[in-house]
Amino acid sequence: MIRRDFLRPNILLACVILAAVSLAAVLAPVIATHHPTLDANLLDAERPPDHVFLLGSDEQGRDVFSRIVYGGRVSILIGLTVQAMNSVIGILLGLSSGYFGGRWDEAVQGLTNLMMALPTVVFALALMVLMGPGVASLLVALGTTDWAYSCRISRAMTLSLKTRAYVRAAEAAGHGPLHVMLRELLPNMTGPLVVVATMGVGSAIMAEASLSFLGLGVTPDTPSWGSMLAHAREQLSTAPWVAIFPGLALFLTVLALNLLGDGLRDLFDPARRGGRA
């Protein structure tokens, strides 16, 4: 049943798009026709797509296609790293607050409510202003500001699971809280957390693009989809391909991640599976 569910159109489409984007990013040195930053020639500035520049060139004569495939490396790596950081923080806080309860739970939930009340990009923007642009600053700003949903879900599932017989048996056998949380509780909540993480990668990529668009993301010498869109603002009338193709790459990647998240949510939800059955 579950194996057939993986053949659903939204999951298949998402996997095809993500596989193509990931393969292009991994093989960027092989498939790129130019160096993304060094091969700049003002004589080729704003050249439309042709056999030399597959997706045209920008205002400095750099190949848009090469910058997109190299930029995919930066955007995808930042998205995965940021979501991994947020997932670790959120899961650890949610597990511990749900398991121990008491004042620790109240403190964690108060902090979680505060983080959910503040828009992630606005909070990250404030941190980036303090730390300055760069990949390291971007990871810190985004990787510590969007863990609230993972925390909420892991806490709720901990409250539901900690009274189960197998958890009580582990406690009666003398296992400590760390063992119970990581070996007994965490493996039984991976489904919903994977769904949150999948959609979180798309949100992180969009957040990176937003900060780079504002000039507070990666440094100008590092190609990313957000920085390419920022540089293309003044060329929309003269060279629209400079904005269209990076925007399309960003749109398709985030769309695929959201489709995959929706498909996995249906897959891991017993009620939805039961309704289809």
Side-chain angles (χ1 to χ4, degrees), residues 77-91 143 197 200-201 204:
L77 181 60
I78 289 177
L80 292 173
T81 305
V82 164
Q83 185 53 41
M85 294 171 64
N86 283 316
S87 293
V88 170
I89 295 172
I91 291 171
V201 173

Side-chain angles (χ1 to χ4, degrees), residues 77-79 81-82 85 128 131 134-144:
L77 181 60
I78 289 177
T81 305
V82 164
M85 294 171 64
M128 290 297 297
M131 295 184 294
V135 174
S137 300
L138 195 63
L139 293 177
V140 173
L142 294 178
T144 58

Side-chain angles (χ1 to χ4, degrees), residues 16 20 39 57 151 164 167 179 197 239-240 249 261 265-266 269:
V16 169
D39 290 347
S57 63
C151 181
R164 299 288 179 90
V167 177
H179 173 93
R265 180 184 60 190
D266 295 342
D269 189 342

Side-chain angles (χ1 to χ4, degrees), residues 53-277:
F53 297 96
L54 300 179
L55 300 181
S57 63
D58 62 8
E59 78 283 0
Q60 298 183 29
R62 297 173 298 189
D63 182 49
V64 172
F65 171 75
S66 300
R67 289 178 61 79
I68 287 177
V69 294
Y70 273 96
R73 281 183 155 189
V74 176
S75 297
I76 294 173
L77 181 60
I78 289 177
L80 292 173
T81 305
V82 164
Q83 185 53 41
M85 294 171 64
N86 283 316
S87 293
V88 170
I89 295 172
I91 291 171
L92 290 179
L93 289 176
L95 272 172
S96 59
S97 67
Y99 185 76
F100 293 115
R103 294 193 175 185
W104 173 244
D105 184 36
E106 294 177 0
V108 171
Q109 290 313 298
L111 181 60
T112 302
N113 292 334
L114 176 63
M115 297 300 296
M116 295 187 73
L118 294 174
T120 300
V121 175
V122 174
F123 195 7
L125 181 62
L127 293 178
M128 290 297 297
V129 171
L130 295 176
M131 295 184 294
V135 174
S137 300
L138 195 63
L139 293 177
V140 173
L142 294 178
T144 58
T145 56
D146 197 22
W147 47 263
Y149 291 102
S150 296
C151 181
R152 278 286 178 88
I153 291 177
S154 56
R155 175 183 178 270
M157 298 199 68
T158 299
L159 293 174
S160 173
L161 295 174
K162 71 176 185 178
T163 58
R164 299 288 179 90
Y166 63 87
V167 177
R168 296 303 186 192
E171 293 173 340
H175 294 296
L178 188 62
H179 173 93
V180 173
M181 287 188 291
L182 297 182
R183 298 293 298 273
E184 307 296 336
L185 294 174
L186 183 58
N188 290 284
M189 59 178 70
T190 53
L193 292 176
V194 167
V195 174
V196 173
T198 301
M199 294 186 171
V201 173
S203 299
I205 292 175
M206 284 295 297
E208 179 275 323
S210 301
L211 292 175
S212 296
F213 184 82
L214 296 174
L216 291 173
V218 298
T219 54
D221 59 329
T222 303
S224 76
W225 295 336
S227 63
M228 292 180 69
L229 290 173
H231 295 152
R233 283 178 293 183
E234 299 178 357
Q235 301 171 259
L236 290 177
S237 59
T238 58
W241 54 84
V242 179
I244 290 174
F245 293 117
L248 186 61
L250 180 63
F251 167 76
L252 290 176
T253 302
V254 175
L255 174 64
L257 288 167
N258 287 334
L259 287 175
L260 182 60
D262 286 336
L264 292 177
R265 180 184 60 190
D266 295 342
L267 188 63
F268 289 122
D269 189 342
R272 293 172 181 265
R273 292 206 308 268
R276 288 200 304 272

